[in-house]
Structure formats: C-alpha cells, structure tokens
Amino acid sequence: MSTPVSSAAEPEPRLAAERPSMVTAKQLKRATAIRQRRSAHAKMWIGATCALLVILPVALANVLPLPGPDAQQLTARLLPPFTDGHLLGTDQVGRDLLSRILHGGQVSLTVGVLAVVVSGIIGIIAGSAAGYFGGWVDSAVSRVLEAQLSLPLLMMLLLVVALFGSSVPVITFVIAVAQWPEVARLTRSLVLVEREKPYIAAARVLGLHRVGILVRHLMPNIIKQATVVVLLLLAQAVLLESALSYLGAGPQRPFATWGRIIADGQDYITTSWWLVTMPGLVIALLVVGVNLFGDGLRDRVRRRKGA
C-alpha cells in the first residue's frame, strides 16, 4: 500500500503590516555612503578652488605684469582699489598692494610648506616608534609631547625667535617644532591599532625584523591618514607665521610677509581699510580652502579605510 505524498502547503498571505519594506538596510547604507561621498567631493572641490585662487597667483608673482613690491611712488599714496591700474590700491608710500601681497605670500607659503614637511617627518617617525616599540620609547616620546603641549605656543615661539633670531630658517624650524606633537599623537594612535592586526602577527611569525615590519608593512598603511593631518597643519603654519610677522618677530625686511603688511597698515585702518582687509582676506581664503580640502580628503580616506 503506497503512502500518499502530501502536497506542499501554500504560504498564507501576510498581512500588510507584516510585509518587509522595499528599502533594504543595504540600500539605506548605500544612500548614506553616496551622500557622504558627495559631501567629501564638494568640500575637496570648493577647498581646492579657494586655495588655488591664492596659491597660483602667488606662485606666478614673478612673471605677472606687476610693479616691484618695494617700488615706491609718493604721488600715488593710499589709492583705493581699482584706481590707476592698481587692482588692490596702494599703501602709505605708494607701493602696489597686490604686488606686495603676492610677493609676501611667497615667503609665507614657503615657510608654511617647509614647516609642515619638517614637522610631518618628525611627527610620523616619533609617533610610529612610540606606538610600535612601546616601553621606554613610548614613555620618552609621550613625556616630551606632554611637556611641549603644556607650554603656551605663541610665547614659546617668541622666546625661541628672540634667542636665535628671526631668519627664515629659524622661523621654519620653530613652527615645525611647534606642530610636530599633533602629527606624533595621531600617528601613535594609528600604529597602536594597526600593530594588532593579523598581518603584523604573520610578519613576526615569519621572523621579520621589527624595524622592517614597521617601515615596510605598517607605516604604508597609516601614511595616508597622517598625511591628511600634515596637510591641515599648513593653514596653522601660515597663521603662525603671520602672527609672528605681525608682532615683529617674523622674517625681517625686505621680506614683505602677510603679517607685516597688516602690521604696517593698521594705523590707516579707519581711512584706508584695504591695507588691512585685502591681505586679511587672502589669508582667510587660503586657510578656509586648505581646511575644506583637508576635511574632504580625510572623509574620503576614512570611508575607503572602513570599506
């Protein structure tokens, strides 16, 4: 006697309230990722545009048809912007303000770029060694960081400049020493996370040297995030150089830095507003551009790291 085969029971129709949503969690995550990616791209484009509006004219200052930054014309003193061929006007001794801003920007940007490069190298090396080796290396680097961060930044810079002079190399080195703790702290935290990953353990099992593991395997995986922080420090370096120049501790004459231009024009701010406003706007445009670009680049690196 054969056993009857029971047919599969057809599923009962679900209630409308129990039906799953057509928008899945994956789609929601994808939509958020797309929104974040668009935001990062917008920050990078806006930031790059603002920064290039300052960097390109400064880099081409020597080839643009502009009068010399120190060429005086006493008959054309304190001319407002868009007057007699002077796009941004003239200062108290008849010097073209646009020419002085662009040529002064060469000094300010050179000091800023060199300072962040030096501080980035010092910070990445010190932070990587502290995070990977630990022990007395970590203790030594951490104590130096804490000691330096406890000091007033601007007062420390003024003291060093007063002791060793205010030449461009001294200003560059002073700003680099002031900024390396931020790079070192971030690099150390990144290395602490990265050294616990399986590929580092595998390299140790294979018998690779600790320095070789750090240089060839670990540092390439954290260098992008550390470089973003170094880029963000460019804006701070330019502000520090401008502050020192404004206080009279920056590169001495004949260098026409942005801070010195503002200091020279502050006595005429009520009658000739452009002497202070124009260089201030240039500094603000560069700082905002670098910060936006670095912020967008950091979001992009984080998203790729987490993907």
Side-chain angles (χ1 to χ4, degrees):
M1 184 176 180
S2 60
T3 305
V5 179
S6 60
S7 60
E10 296 184 359
E12 298 180 357
R14 295 181 178 179
L15 297 177
E18 297 178 353
R19 292 179 182 176
S21 173
M22 297 300 294
V23 181
T24 63
K26 185 177 181 180
Q27 290 174 331
L28 289 174
K29 183 178 180 180
R30 186 179 303 171
T32 303
I34 291 176
R35 187 166 57 252
Q36 292 176 349
R37 182 175 60 188
R38 289 175 179 174
S39 176
H41 285 173
K43 289 180 182 178
M44 291 178 64
W45 277 107
I46 296 173
T49 302
C50 294
L52 289 177
L53 285 176
V54 177
I55 295 175
L56 286 181
V58 168
L60 300 175
N62 294 327
V63 299
L64 293 175
L66 296 171
D70 299 319
Q72 301 181 11
Q73 188 178 359
L74 297 179
T75 58
R77 297 175 60 251
L78 300 178
L79 294 178
F82 307 104
T83 303
D84 294 337
H86 299 286
L87 184 61
L88 298 183
T90 59
D91 64 2
Q92 61 273 21
V93 292
R95 294 173 295 191
D96 186 77
L97 186 58
L98 177 60
S99 179
R100 287 182 62 77
I101 289 175
L102 295 185
H103 285 86
Q106 292 180 344
V107 179
S108 298
L109 287 178
T110 300
V111 171
V113 171
L114 291 178
V116 297
V117 170
V118 175
S119 63
I121 294 174
I122 297 174
I124 290 175
I125 293 176
S128 299
Y132 184 72
F133 295 110
W136 66 268
V137 178
D138 189 14
S139 299
V141 174
S142 298
R143 298 297 84 75
V144 174
L145 287 175
E146 292 171 0
Q148 182 168 339
L149 291 175
S150 65
L151 298 174
L153 178 59
L154 192 56
M155 293 299 295
M156 181 185 67
L157 296 181
L158 291 174
L159 176 61
V160 175
V161 170
L163 292 175
F164 299 100
S166 56
S167 62
V168 172
V170 172
I171 297 296
T172 301
F173 182 74
V174 165
I175 296 177
V177 171
Q179 290 185 322
W180 78 272
E182 299 185 31
V183 184
R185 287 194 304 172
L186 174 71
T187 305
R188 177 181 176 275
S189 63
L190 293 174
V191 171
L192 287 175
V193 175
E194 202 72 20
R195 74 176 185 179
E196 304 298 331
K197 293 188 176 180
Y199 75 93
I200 299 296
R204 292 172 181 168
V205 171
L206 292 175
L208 298 181
H209 195 272
R210 296 179 70 186
V211 177
I213 295 174
L214 175 63
V215 175
R216 298 180 56 186
H217 299 282
L218 197 150
M219 291 184 67
N221 288 315
I222 58 98
I223 195 67
K224 288 184 178 180
Q225 292 171 293
T227 304
V228 172
V229 177
V230 174
L231 176 62
L232 289 172
L233 289 179
L234 176 60
Q236 182 182 355
V238 172
L239 288 176
L240 286 175
E241 190 280 329
S242 300
L244 290 175
S245 297
Y246 177 80
L247 296 174
Q252 298 301 312
R253 303 180 191 278
F255 298 112
T257 61
W258 286 336
R260 184 173 299 280
I261 295 173
I262 295 176
D264 292 341
Q266 66 179 350
D267 294 334
Y268 303 87
I269 190 171
T270 57
T271 57
S272 304
W273 55 267
W274 56 90
L275 297 181
V276 175
T277 304
M278 294 304 177
L281 288 177
V282 171
I283 296 174
L285 189 63
L286 177 66
V287 170
V288 170
V290 172
N291 284 332
L292 281 177
F293 182 80
D295 196 18
L297 187 61
R298 179 176 56 190
D299 293 343
R300 186 174 181 178
V301 171
R302 284 179 178 175
R303 189 177 65 252
R304 288 184 177 181
K305 192 75 174 179

